[in-house]
């Protein structure tokens, strides 16, 4: 399957910096990039992205993504952004359940599943993030934790899970420079694939991305694994050369 390389800019960017980063990305992307590419950028810059994408042919194939979406459809939820708003700006993806949102904003498995449902209901692809803490890994709870996190999304979304993207992001590897070894990542991905297969006859086409300190140096090894279908890239997506190198390593 075509791999997906999605950048997660997190709370980074300025109008000027984005012109430089997206311009460099556009210049570096050939007309035929084998991988699918997306950038999940802060909401205030979605309109800027659309303007730049219209100017740079190199950005034509780069999809826009959000970093979160409300679990509610509309109404009195100050500060929230609905799936309909994301759709209005041309977002194709919405990250849901990133560990930073689970950790700092108290998002539960049920909330994350409802967010995925909102994205799906509006024709977008939720990138559902899962992952264990270092403490959980050391206690041998990795499979149990990611299984529970994914089960909540499967439970609410039923057959629609064929339309999701899963991102396995061990929390201890995010922004730390510590990557899961290729074997550790593939092992969890294979378990997640089994769980998806038990829920869907089409599980082979559901992408499972790896995230957590993926960079230009380690991307090729990770992306060569049977059950690693792309990457969710934080820090390295803010440097055009690094992000392009990761895209270049994808199939
Ligand atoms: P990182 O972040 O690549 O900087 O580790 C990945 C993520 O949090 O999505």
């Amino acid at each position: 399957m075509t791999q997906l390389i999605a950048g997660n800019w997190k709370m980074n960017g300025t109008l000027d910096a984005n012109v430089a980063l997206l311009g460099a990305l556009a210049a570096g992307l050939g007309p035929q990039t084998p991988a699918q590419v997306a950038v999940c950028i802060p909401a205030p810059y979605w309109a800027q992205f659309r303007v730049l994408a219209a100017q740079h042919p190199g950005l034509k194939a780069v999809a826009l993504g959000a970093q979160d979406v409300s679990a509610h459809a509309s109404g009195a939820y100050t500060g929230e952004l609905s799936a309909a708003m994301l759709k209005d700006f041309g977002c194709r993806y919405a990250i849901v359940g990133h560990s930073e949102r689970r950790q700092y904003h108290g998002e539960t498995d049920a909330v994350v599943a409802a967010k995925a449902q909102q994205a799906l209901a509006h024709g977008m692809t939720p990138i559902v993030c899962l992952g264990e803490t270092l403490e959980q890994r050391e206690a041998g709870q990795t499979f149990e934790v990611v299984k529970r996190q994914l089960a909540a999304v499967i439970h609410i979304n039923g057959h629609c899970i064929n339309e999701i993207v899963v991102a396995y992001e061990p929390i201890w590897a995010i922004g730390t420079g510590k990557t899961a070894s290729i074997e550790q990542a593939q092992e969890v991905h294979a378990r997640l694939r089994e769980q998806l297969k038990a829920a869907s006859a089409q599980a082979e086409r559901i992408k499972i991305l790896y995230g957590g300190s993926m960079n230009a140096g380690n991307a090729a090894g990770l992306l060569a694994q049977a059950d690693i279908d792309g990457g969710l890239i934080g820090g390295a997506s803010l440097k055009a050369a690094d992000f392009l190198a990761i895209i270049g390593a994808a199939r």
Side-chain angles (χ1 to χ4, degrees), residues 173-234:
I174 295 177
T176 57
K178 270 192 199 172
T179 328
S181 69
I182 289 170
E183 295 74 24
Q184 283 173 325
Q186 165 57 28
E187 189 184 24
V188 176
H189 281 233
R191 290 284 193 116
L192 293 171
R193 181 87 62 204
E194 287 310 312
Q195 189 178 354
L196 291 167
K197 276 187 185 162
S200 164
Q202 295 179 48
E204 286 292 354
R205 73 175 179 87
I206 302 175
K207 291 189 201 328
I208 309 178
L209 314 184
Y210 170 79
S213 299
M214 196 191 267
N215 58 41
N218 61 27
L222 287 158
L223 293 170
Q225 298 307 300
D227 291 297
I228 300 186
D229 308 313
L232 183 55
I233 322 297

Side-chain angles (χ1 to χ4, degrees), residues 131-153:
E132 81 287 3
T133 62
L134 185 58
E135 209 176 24
Q136 288 165 334
R137 175 161 282 270
E138 286 174 348
Q141 296 166 348
T142 299
F143 299 133
E144 185 188 317
V145 168
V146 296
K147 186 175 182 188
R148 188 201 72 222
Q149 291 172 334
L150 183 57
V153 175

Side-chain angles (χ1 to χ4, degrees), residues 5-251:
I5 304 298
N8 173 12
W9 287 10
K10 309 195 181 187
M11 199 169 70
N12 293 293
T14 65
L15 288 170
D16 288 347
N18 302 347
V19 169
L21 176 53
L22 291 169
L25 198 57
L29 282 174
Q32 282 161 337
T33 303
Q36 293 172 354
V37 180
V39 285
C40 300
I41 73 180
Y45 301 125
W46 294 342
Q48 184 194 22
F49 176 86
R50 285 165 61 96
V51 170
L52 291 172
Q55 288 169 359
H56 292 289
L59 289 178
K60 278 253 161 11
V62 178
L64 178 63
Q67 297 174 10
D68 184 29
V69 63
S70 178
H72 306 284
S74 67
Y77 300 101
T78 302
E80 292 275 274
L81 302 174
S82 70
M85 293 170 188
L86 271 58
K87 189 77 190 162
D88 244 0
F89 278 83
C91 289
R92 159 116 173 63
Y93 297 97
I95 296 174
V96 300
H98 191 280
S99 60
E100 287 149 17
R101 300 225 42 105
R102 292 180 190 259
Q103 189 180 345
Y104 307 138
H105 302 271
E107 292 189 9
T108 61
D109 292 342
V111 166
V112 173
K115 291 184 168 201
Q117 188 176 37
Q118 279 295 322
L120 288 165
H122 288 81
M124 287 174 291
T125 303
I127 301 177
V128 179
C129 300
L130 319 166
E132 81 287 3
T133 62
L134 185 58
E135 209 176 24
Q136 288 165 334
R137 175 161 282 270
E138 286 174 348
Q141 296 166 348
T142 299
F143 299 133
E144 185 188 317
V145 168
V146 296
K147 186 175 182 188
R148 188 201 72 222
Q149 291 172 334
L150 183 57
V153 175
I154 293 172
H155 178 70
I156 290 204
N157 292 286
H159 69 273
C160 291
I161 59 143
N162 292 325
E163 310 308 324
I164 73 171
V165 166
V166 174
Y168 169 57
E169 298 205 312
I171 294 169
W172 47 272
I174 295 177
T176 57
K178 270 192 199 172
T179 328
S181 69
I182 289 170
E183 295 74 24
Q184 283 173 325
Q186 165 57 28
E187 189 184 24
V188 176
H189 281 233
R191 290 284 193 116
L192 293 171
R193 181 87 62 204
E194 287 310 312
Q195 189 178 354
L196 291 167
K197 276 187 185 162
S200 164
Q202 295 179 48
E204 286 292 354
R205 73 175 179 87
I206 302 175
K207 291 189 201 328
I208 309 178
L209 314 184
Y210 170 79
S213 299
M214 196 191 267
N215 58 41
N218 61 27
L222 287 158
L223 293 170
Q225 298 307 300
D227 291 297
I228 300 186
D229 308 313
L232 183 55
I233 322 297
S237 73
L238 298 171
K239 296 179 205 128
D242 291 18
F243 195 51
L244 285 165
I246 296 171
I247 294 166
R251 39 191 160 94

